[in-house]
Amino acid sequence: MAFLSIDELKILVENPQSPSVSIYMPTQKAGAEIRQNPIRFRNLMRSAEERLEAMGIRHTEVLDFLQPARELDRGDFWEHQNQGLVIFISQNFLRYYCLPIEFPELVVVDEQFHLKPLLHFINNDGKFYVLALSQKDVKLFAGTGHSLKEVEVENMPHRLEETLLEDELQKGVQHRIGTPRGRTSAAQHPGSFHGQGSPDREKHEDDILQFFYAVDEALHEKLRDEKAPLVLAGVEYLFPIYQAANTYPYFLDESINGNPELLNLQQLHDEAWRIVAPSFQQNKKAAIELYEQLAGEETGKAVSDIKEIIPAAFYHRVDSLLVSIDEQKWGKFDPENTTVDLHTEPEPDDQDMLDFAAVHTLLNGGKVYTLESEEMPNGAKVAAILRY
């Protein structure tokens, strides 16, 4: 199972092969109703089979096409579900996601995957990182409002003792391990976090600081292009020491206090989300206010005409997009002529243009805020703040 993220969304968008099958279904996590999961899955697979055959594909080819997905239908797979299951199938391609959000049953067979039901889940709850930190272990997690998953960090030191031993072995090397160029040890700045402790305690704190320099250096490579907030989870006395070593500009002042090894993944997620959630809501509010300000100033950077927004999203011009999650606008976009053809009802090969604008804004580095229709400024279905 893949971890649903912006990177995963990019893979799904950049894999347009016809036919592409998208299956959404609600799932049960436990209890007697868990037996409904495979029954519902088989019914949806039969629906996909019928739709593929209706396209003129031979029955044997349809069976071969769907076989990788059918192989998911086993006991251990259904024992590890959440509230919703999403499966994407195309030629030599299979992705599935077990998500903590319930979806109505849906089968779509088209030239590309149907992604609109995922946009609210992927983006509206934001992205954040948690650094679970102790002297014996260091882990980095990536999270959203619904999930948290450990991510690998190249050259990340994991134990204080190992880092200090390696440091001792390389004494005489000009660049002290874990101390990036231009940094100085805490001993030269005793007021940075030391109290009135003993020399042994201050020496130990200096050792921890060197260890945290090494952690920060590894994180710098991993997060160099990120703007997501970073929350520290660790015992309270480590926080000011790590703060002295940190160079990541989106490191938060509030931390999760306590030994992170005593928290399970759900507890760690809940504590982190409590800290970061207000900032995401504030970001959405600020985007709405900025759009209304720019619209009032008639700068040309605030637009609500979907025929102007679609090419702007495709060609990297949208900085922030406000889009109604419960509306659709059907049509086609011609990138060569930068024209948008809209229809009141979906026609063959049509796309939801709101979905198109949101996906391409995300893929091109913009921010997307999915809102209920009554939250949209001036009753628009979509509104954009342009970069230029």
Side-chain angles (χ1 to χ4, degrees):
M1 180 182 67
F3 179 64
L4 191 56
S5 64
I6 297 298
D7 290 337
E8 278 292 302
L9 182 68
K10 186 174 183 179
I11 291 172
L12 295 170
V13 171
E14 294 179 347
N15 189 64
Q17 298 185 62
S18 183
S20 291
V21 177
S22 308
I23 296 176
Y24 291 82
M25 61 174 277
T27 50
Q28 300 297 325
K29 298 173 64 174
E33 293 183 352
I34 195 173
R35 290 178 297 209
Q36 293 298 315
N37 291 339
I39 297 173
R40 183 176 283 118
F41 172 79
R42 292 163 197 162
N43 289 338
L44 292 172
M45 290 296 291
R46 277 195 292 272
S47 177
E49 184 178 318
E50 292 168 358
R51 298 185 189 198
L52 289 166
E53 290 181 357
M55 296 172 66
I57 303 175
R58 292 191 305 172
H59 180 69
T60 54
E61 293 177 352
V62 169
L63 294 180
D64 289 341
F65 180 85
L66 295 176
Q67 183 58 27
R70 291 190 190 278
E71 291 176 358
L72 297 174
D73 187 8
R74 57 185 188 272
D76 59 340
F77 178 74
W78 297 117
E79 290 172 0
H80 298 88
Q81 291 300 311
N82 210 309
Q83 293 175 261
L85 174 64
V86 185
I87 304 173
F88 297 110
I89 314 158
S90 62
Q91 193 65 42
N92 301 316
F93 182 92
L94 174 68
R95 281 284 203 285
Y96 70 92
Y97 309 90
C98 301
L99 301 174
I101 182 172
E102 185 173 315
F103 299 103
E105 290 187 6
L106 179 66
V107 177
V108 178
V109 179
D110 206 339
E111 294 184 355
Q112 54 197 8
F113 295 127
H114 182 68
L115 301 174
K116 187 174 179 63
L118 297 179
L119 291 180
H120 193 70
F121 175 86
I122 291 175
N123 188 69
N124 195 53
D125 288 331
K127 178 182 180 182
F128 63 90
Y129 289 99
V130 177
L131 180 63
L133 194 62
S134 72
Q135 297 176 48
K136 295 182 178 180
D137 197 15
V138 179
K139 293 179 180 179
L140 181 68
F141 298 88
T144 68
H146 301 281
S147 61
L148 190 69
K149 181 181 180 181
E150 184 177 358
V151 293
E152 294 295 324
V153 180
E154 188 175 355
N155 299 320
M156 173 68 83
H158 291 283
R159 294 176 64 87
L160 172 64
E161 292 177 357
E162 292 174 359
T163 303
L164 293 179
L165 176 60
E166 187 176 355
D167 193 22
E168 289 297 321
L169 291 174
Q170 294 197 29
K171 273 187 175 178
V173 177
Q174 183 176 2
H175 177 51
R176 176 178 170 82
I177 286 181
T179 309
R181 291 184 181 90
R183 281 178 167 163
T184 55
S185 76
Q188 293 170 274
H189 298 281
S192 59
F193 54 79
H194 289 316
Q196 301 299 317
S198 67
D200 287 344
R201 177 177 175 82
E202 294 196 357
K203 171 63 168 63
H204 182 60
E205 289 179 342
D206 283 339
D207 289 342
I208 295 174
L209 181 63
Q210 300 309 313
F211 176 51
F212 287 171
Y213 279 149
V215 171
D216 177 74
E217 192 167 11
L219 280 183
H220 178 76
E221 295 303 314
K222 181 71 175 180
L223 305 180
R224 63 165 64 239
D225 298 320
E226 293 284 349
K227 295 183 179 179
L230 173 65
V231 179
L232 180 70
V235 293
E236 190 171 358
Y237 84 88
L238 293 179
F239 184 84
I241 306 178
Y242 187 80
Q243 200 168 32
N246 172 69
T247 59
Y248 184 63
Y250 304 98
F251 179 69
L252 299 185
D253 290 334
E254 186 175 357
S255 63
I256 302 171
N257 294 326
N259 186 347
E261 297 174 15
L262 301 180
L263 300 176
N264 61 37
L265 198 62
Q266 187 61 51
Q267 292 171 324
L268 193 62
H269 171 271
D270 292 347
E271 286 295 308
W273 184 244
R274 176 186 60 79
I275 294 171
V276 302
S279 66
F280 291 125
Q281 292 301 317
Q282 183 59 38
N283 289 344
K284 179 164 67 173
K285 180 181 177 182
I288 295 172
E289 291 175 350
L290 178 59
Y291 171 82
E292 292 175 337
Q293 175 189 333
L294 293 174
E297 295 172 353
E298 298 182 353
T299 61
K301 288 188 176 182
V303 295
S304 58
D305 182 351
I306 192 169
K307 290 189 175 183
E308 185 176 353
I309 291 173
I310 292 297
F314 188 79
Y315 289 111
H316 302 234
R317 291 182 57 215
V318 175
D319 178 76
S320 299
L321 187 77
L322 306 169
V323 62
S324 174
I325 192 63
D326 50 4
E327 304 258 10
Q328 290 81 38
K329 195 67 177 177
W330 300 102
K332 296 184 180 69
F333 171 59
D334 181 352
E336 292 186 3
N337 297 313
T338 64
T339 57
V340 180
D341 188 16
L342 300 176
H343 308 127
T344 55
E345 296 293 333
E347 297 185 3
D349 301 327
D350 269 5
Q351 287 183 263
D352 178 4
M353 291 287 95
L354 303 183
D355 186 8
F356 182 96
V359 168
H360 285 278
T361 297
L362 286 174
L363 295 180
N364 292 331
K367 298 177 287 294
V368 174
Y369 300 97
T370 47
L371 290 77
E372 302 296 334
S373 56
E374 60 269 18
E375 295 180 284
M376 291 293 298
N378 302 322
K381 292 186 177 181
V382 63
I385 299 173
L386 304 183
R387 294 187 171 113
Y388 56 91

